[in-house]
Amino acid sequence: MLLNKNSIFKKLFMPWILGAIFPFAVLLTWQVLGDLGYISNLLFPTPYTIFKALKKLIVSGELFEHLQISVIRVIGGFALGGSLGLAFGLFVGLFKRTEKSLNPSIQMIRMIPAMAVAPLFILWFGFGEASKIYLIAKGAFFPLYINTFIGIRNVDNKFFEVAKILEFSKFKQIIRLIIPAALPNILLGVRISLGVAWLGLVVAELIGASEGIGYLMSDARQFGKTPVVFVGILMFAIVGIITDTAVRLLERKLLSWQDNYRGQ
């Protein structure tokens, strides 16, 4: 019984304890150096000062109002860009002619920085939600497109030969063969796309917004409220790790058949 409890403790809590050692050490060192005056409180407010700013924003309800708007924007942009990236990745990956006709243009667009097209998006779609969602969608499109394309091209050709013998239709090949075989790459694309979607949100909200975490940070920067800027950074980090963890749990469930090396 005791052995079983130790096993459960190691499995559930040890990863969290090990993962918390480094950030705790950094925060402790940061706090001590700030209290001793070795670092500027204006540029690098101490963790305790940041925590007080966080508490104030939570109590006032301001933080959750901005966070809710940012999350809705990311979901909308990722749903649009991610679904198109998946569709185009499947389409280009399946057909050589489509690859030759579409892939060069898509790769050129991929190289254009978000900051370069942001003024155009604002000009075309205004300062409303559409320009922000489209800007986020642009960033979310390419990781899923590339990873889906690579995943399809990495599918063993023998599977297609078996599908021909079994007389699978094209639709059945996609559903029963191609997507399951390319799933590891597709899920990797989802993880990267979500991360890029949050980066796109920052660009969108810093350029033209009156709500959202990016706006909160921009407004705080103008008035010298550095702790609030760090609160915004913390929110992006927390929500980012939550979404990434959710996708990793989905990976673990959908790819349970894989026997991968997990380190020593």
Side-chain angles (χ1 to χ4, degrees):
M1 185 70 178
L2 182 61
L3 183 62
N4 189 36
K5 286 183 178 179
N6 289 335
S7 178
I8 293 172
F9 176 81
K10 287 180 179 179
K11 188 175 181 180
L12 293 179
F13 297 106
M14 280 304 292
W16 292 95
I17 294 171
L18 292 172
I21 291 173
F22 178 72
F24 179 78
V26 170
L27 290 174
L28 182 61
T29 305
W30 183 357
Q31 182 69 44
V32 171
L33 291 176
D35 290 340
L36 295 175
Y38 287 110
I39 56 176
S40 170
N41 283 324
L42 178 63
L43 299 177
F44 292 98
T46 62
Y48 179 68
T49 306
I50 297 169
F51 174 75
K52 287 197 296 183
L54 173 63
K55 183 180 177 181
K56 184 178 178 181
L57 288 170
I58 290 174
V59 171
S60 67
E62 187 179 359
L63 179 64
F64 292 113
E65 288 177 8
H66 289 292
L67 183 61
Q68 182 181 9
I69 292 166
S70 292
V71 169
I72 291 171
R73 285 170 179 162
V74 168
I75 291 172
F78 173 75
L80 176 61
S83 59
L84 287 174
L86 178 63
F88 273 83
L90 285 168
F91 198 51
V92 173
L94 286 170
F95 307 106
K96 283 188 177 181
R97 289 183 180 178
T98 312
E99 179 190 358
K100 291 177 181 178
S101 60
L102 287 180
N103 191 56
S105 300
I106 292 175
Q107 293 301 332
M108 276 199 304
I109 298 171
R110 183 173 70 90
M111 295 301 173
I112 302 174
M115 289 296 291
V117 298
L120 275 177
F121 277 40
I122 292 172
L123 183 65
W124 292 339
F125 308 111
F127 283 96
E129 293 301 304
S131 61
K132 297 173 182 59
I133 289 175
Y134 290 148
L135 194 61
I136 295 166
K138 176 194 176 294
F141 173 89
F142 296 104
L144 245 174
Y145 165 78
I146 292 170
N147 280 278
T148 302
F149 171 77
I150 292 172
I152 291 171
R153 291 303 170 88
N154 285 338
V155 176
D156 195 329
N157 197 48
K158 292 178 182 177
F159 291 148
F160 291 94
E161 293 175 2
V162 173
K164 287 180 181 178
I165 295 170
L166 295 174
E167 297 182 348
F168 279 8
S169 64
K170 203 67 183 177
F171 179 77
K172 201 170 184 180
Q173 283 185 36
I174 293 171
I175 300 299
R176 299 285 298 274
L177 168 66
I178 296 171
I179 291 180
L183 199 57
N185 285 87
I186 293 172
L187 289 173
L188 175 62
V190 170
R191 289 178 63 185
I192 299 173
S193 287
L194 280 168
V196 177
W198 281 102
L199 293 176
L201 173 75
V202 175
V203 174
E205 291 185 341
L206 287 177
I207 287 178
S210 57
E211 297 170 305
I213 296 297
Y215 165 76
L216 183 68
M217 295 171 63
S218 179
D219 185 65
R221 177 183 58 81
Q222 291 180 5
F223 291 97
K225 299 178 181 178
T226 313
V228 178
V229 177
F230 276 91
V231 169
I233 294 171
L234 179 64
M235 287 299 101
F236 281 124
I238 290 173
V239 177
I241 195 65
I242 289 172
T243 53
D244 187 71
T245 302
V247 178
R248 290 186 68 181
L249 291 173
L250 183 64
E251 275 184 341
R252 192 175 298 177
K253 185 176 181 180
L254 295 178
L255 304 178
S256 57
W257 50 270
Q258 283 189 326
D259 187 18
N260 292 337
Y261 175 67
R262 301 185 182 276
Q264 294 180 350

